[in-house]
Every structure is written in C-alpha cells, then in structure tokens.
Amino acid sequence: MEEGVVANWRIALGDKVKRGQVIAEIETDKATMEFESFDSGYVLLLVAEEGETLPLGAPIAVLGKKGEDPQEALAAFGGGSGGGEAAAPAPAPEAAADAAASAAADAQAVAESAPAAAPSAPASVEAVHVDPKDRRIPASPVARRLAREHDLELAAITGTGPHGRVVKADVEKAIAEGTGKAAAAPAAGEFSGEVDGWGRPYVSRPDDSVRLSMMRKAIARNMTKAKQETPHYYLTMDVDMEKAFAFRADFNEAVPEGTKISFNDLIVKAVARSLRDFPSVNASFDGDKAIIRGDVNVGIAVAVEDGLVVPVVRYADQKSLEAISRESKALGKSARDKHLRPEDMSGGTFTVSNLGMFGIESFAAVINPGEAGILAVGAIESRPVVQGGELVIRKRMKMTISADHRVTDGAVAAKWLTKVRGYLENPLKMLTDGPG
C-alpha cells in the first residue's frame, strides 16, 4: 500500500476525540478499514476531504487543546502542502472557539506523536462539496476550491505536488494560461460526417475517462507482475458432476439451513485435499528454491464492485464441509461489504476462481503472486456424452489449472487435476479418505 483514500469521516470540527476512537474510514487497495485515533483532544482541523487520495504518512486531521492553532501543529509536523503553496491563515479565535464549544478541555496535540514522514499537509477548515468525478484526483483543498471557483477540471490540470498531486500553484498557472477546461464533448446525436448504405448518419459519441479505483490499480499492478514474471501453463479437464449433484442434495437435506453447502464448497474441499496429496502444487517460487507450504490455505476469488478480492480459508484440508461453507459465506459477505481485514486476505497457498454462476464454460485465470497455481472453474452443464457405448445426458463441468512452470511441471499438475476430479466424482472420498 502506498496511498489511501479518506472514504468517510466519523468526526467533525469541534468534536472531542478519545484515544482509540474510530475517527475515519480509510479505503485501501482491497477494503475499507476503520481508522482509530492514536491520541485524544479536540478536532481543530480536518486536513483531508472525503474522497481525497493521500500518500502514506500524510496528515489527515489535527487534534489539540481548546483554542490552539492547528497551523502550528502542521508546521511542527512538517507544514505546507509539499507543492510550494503557503499555509492558509489560521481561523479566527472566535471561529475556533465556536467550533470547539461543545468539547471539553484537557487533550494532547496530535503533532507530538505524529510520524516523522512529512508529506503534504494542506490547510483549510472549509467544508466543501467534492464533485464525484474529481473525488479520486489527488489535490489539496485549496486547489479544489480554486478550481471550482474558476470552473476548471482537476483532471485537466497537471499536478506538480507529491505523487502528482494538484496544488494551489498548479491551479493558478492554469488560470493564468487559460487552460484546465475539459474538452467539449460532442452533443448527443451529433452527426459524425459519415452515413451507412441507406444514407443514415452515424452518430458520434464522446469517450469517457474513468479514473481507476485503488483496488483496480492494485489489480493492474499485481496481475501485470504475475504475467511478466510467472511462466504460466494451462491444463483443462472435464468432470462428471452427477454424483456431486446427488451428494449435495442429500447433504443439504440432512443439515440445518445455516450449514447447507454449495458446489464451490465441494470444489474448495477437493482442491484442499488434493494439495495435501501433491505438496509440490502447494508451493511458491523463491529465487533459487521452491517453498513447499506446510499449511493448505485456499483463497476464493470474490467479485466485488471495483474488481476482485481473494479471502482465504485457512487449513482448508482439515476443515469439514460445513466449516468451509460457513467461513466462505462470512468471508464473501465481508468482501462485498468492504470489511475484510488484511489477515483475511493473506497467507493463501492456492486459489479457486469460479465463474460458473455467470455461465462461463471454461477459462484460464492468472496466478496470484506467491502461489504456484490457480484453478478456474466453469459452469455445470447438462451435456451429451458417450458412456458405455451409448449417448447419454450428464452433468459436466470443466476446470483449468494455471500453474507456475518454475516450481511444477505438466505431469505433476495433470496428476493433481486428476485427483481433484476423483474427489468431485466420488464426494464421499473427501469425507472418508484420511483425516479432515
């Protein structure tokens, strides 16, 4: 993680904050985390706006005693925006007193325990509305206000602050040069100048630039790294799911509502048991050696609004189907609610990615860095197959392993895939073949 977004403030100017109190929600690459205060005191200044992206170590608020000047705290911290703009003047004493009227005295300024890093620290107590299209553009509050006042688009201004942040000087330069205006988009239905064979005009439609979320940027970075550094190879196998269908129906009929299992739970269990049988697939590449992982921790790819997260079911080879089902449901809900903790997404040794619910017949997935493989699972379909010399309709499913050729070869991965198929075609073996 190199930067974060202040997704939501839980405090306001003048509030009294206790040590350990949740004061904000911070959006990271994969989740939205609650941020607790390290100190107590009055809220003298909210440095960061909701939706603003800031680098690690940047100040987001100033706490202190009643009547203290927040600008002095910022100056002690490092001061300034890092982009050459001067700090805004401190609020008038009357305004500061009014803002803190409801809070009690006796607190310690946050500046005394602030980290040594001193990135940008814009100074403004003005509560302002942030246009949704500008929310993820890094900019100081002063720069945002100036841009709004002059009807400029932050996206059209080149930032010279830390990490490309737009600062006051950048906006002033755009004002002076008459730049910073968004390009005029073609009006809806504007004639493109071309017609089809019947003389009907083609309509020109404008492009739309969408700024990547932090999660999307993390996915782009990690997947690029995986494809550039990991030599993938792919093996696909067809699985007869008739017995799995019958097993699941019987199982769910016999257990309480909260412990019913899905086909993905069966797949996770089959994958976990097979990884225990083939340790070389439960591995990772580390320079001049392969690390054979002792634990079997299966990641489950979960689609969320901004992209994809992979919460991990730990010790999946040792857990029952009911336990895997309960844990998978809880992790999936946390993922969709953006409440996953870092520990929920770390320590995976292999991943399952299932797109069967979207009707995908088969696909090949990209290996998560630090793992030796990922299993891509397609839809379970009724298909005609030849069995015993006759054409019959059976429920079938395709699965594809993407494997790291640095730590495992095709023959081993093929045997592993055959083991997974064996468990799915005879589900009772997962419950009777050894412990777990």
Side-chain angles (χ1 to χ4, degrees):
M1 180 178 172
E2 298 178 352
E3 59 186 11
V5 174
V6 180
N8 181 45
W9 279 114
R10 299 277 193 89
I11 55 174
L13 285 173
D15 286 354
K16 178 168 179 153
V17 173
K18 297 179 180 179
R19 185 184 183 93
Q21 177 181 338
V22 175
I23 62 172
E25 294 177 2
I26 305 297
E27 181 185 343
T28 68
D29 290 351
K30 297 290 186 179
T32 299
M33 315 293 293
E34 291 185 336
F35 180 73
E36 297 180 359
S37 174
F38 299 106
D39 295 274
S40 59
Y42 296 133
V43 180
L44 301 181
L45 178 66
L46 296 180
V47 179
E49 297 179 2
E50 289 186 354
E52 184 171 6
T53 301
L54 294 171
L56 291 188
I60 61 172
V62 177
L63 305 183
K65 296 179 181 179
K66 183 178 179 179
E68 283 187 324
D69 182 1
Q71 303 305 326
E72 292 182 4
L74 286 177
F77 182 85
S81 68
E85 55 183 297
E94 307 96 294
D98 290 343
S102 62
D106 192 22
Q108 183 176 6
V110 70
E112 295 177 8
S113 62
S120 56
S124 171
V125 297
E126 180 185 5
V128 293
H129 169 72
V130 182
D131 194 307
K133 64 178 176 295
D134 284 342
R135 285 181 68 85
R136 295 192 182 278
I137 297 174
S140 71
V142 176
R144 290 183 189 278
R145 185 178 68 249
L146 278 177
R148 281 192 301 274
E149 290 174 353
H150 292 82
D151 195 25
L152 301 180
E153 297 280 351
L154 286 176
I157 300 175
T158 301
T160 60
H163 300 273
R165 193 179 194 209
V166 178
V167 296
K168 180 182 177 183
D170 301 326
V171 181
E172 290 177 337
K173 180 181 179 183
I175 295 170
E177 296 177 351
T179 59
K181 295 283 187 180
E190 183 176 342
F191 178 44
S192 67
E194 299 182 26
V195 297
D196 63 15
W198 288 272
R200 295 176 300 191
Y202 294 114
V203 174
S204 176
R205 298 184 178 89
D207 295 337
D208 186 18
S209 177
V210 179
R211 192 174 183 85
L212 296 181
S213 67
M214 290 190 65
M215 180 182 294
R216 194 78 256 167
K217 288 190 286 187
I219 292 172
R221 182 172 61 248
N222 292 337
M223 293 300 96
T224 299
K225 176 182 174 68
K227 289 295 285 185
Q228 287 178 339
E229 298 182 3
T230 305
H232 289 54
Y233 69 92
Y234 313 95
L235 303 174
T236 300
M237 188 170 281
D238 206 33
V239 184
D240 189 314
M241 295 293 287
E242 286 288 337
K243 287 186 178 180
F245 249 86
F247 174 84
R248 177 175 177 266
D250 291 343
F251 187 96
N252 285 343
E253 188 175 339
V255 298
E257 183 65 32
T259 55
K260 294 185 185 299
I261 63 172
S262 67
F263 286 112
N264 203 62
D265 297 329
L266 285 171
I267 293 165
V268 169
K269 179 69 173 178
V271 164
R273 292 297 298 272
S274 301
L275 288 172
R276 191 172 68 189
D277 296 333
F278 288 84
S280 61
V281 183
N282 192 52
S284 61
F285 178 78
D286 184 21
D288 60 351
K289 58 184 178 294
I291 306 299
I292 307 300
R293 311 295 288 274
D295 295 328
V296 176
N297 303 328
V298 178
I300 303 174
V302 177
V304 294
E305 183 180 355
D306 290 337
L308 189 75
V309 292
V310 185
V312 176
V313 177
R314 299 179 183 279
Y315 315 112
D317 60 320
Q318 303 175 52
K319 290 181 177 176
S320 66
L321 279 168
E322 298 100 317
I324 290 174
S325 176
R326 285 193 301 268
E327 195 167 335
S328 297
K329 288 184 178 70
L331 289 170
K333 184 179 186 305
S334 295
R336 287 183 285 272
D337 293 342
K338 281 193 169 185
H339 289 156
L340 284 175
R341 302 166 299 172
E343 55 265 34
D344 293 331
M345 297 176 283
S346 61
T349 61
F350 193 92
T351 298
V352 171
S353 180
N354 191 340
L355 292 179
M357 67 287 294
F358 299 107
I360 300 300
E361 181 179 342
S362 67
F363 69 104
V366 181
I367 301 171
N368 276 322
E371 300 177 10
I374 182 171
L375 187 70
V377 181
I380 301 173
E381 302 174 315
S382 295
R383 296 201 298 262
V385 295
V386 176
Q387 185 170 303
E390 296 183 353
L391 188 65
V392 296
I393 302 298
R394 304 281 291 182
K395 295 196 178 295
R396 312 285 291 191
M397 180 188 78
K398 289 185 177 179
M399 55 185 185
T400 300
I401 181 176
S402 304
D404 184 347
H405 224 322
R406 297 173 300 181
V407 294
T408 185
D409 296 320
V412 174
K415 291 177 183 177
W416 177 84
L417 208 55
T418 301
K419 189 72 173 182
V420 176
R421 181 177 66 181
Y423 280 131
L424 292 174
E425 292 185 343
N426 297 279
L428 284 175
K429 289 179 66 64
M430 287 190 281
L431 309 182
T432 59
D433 187 12

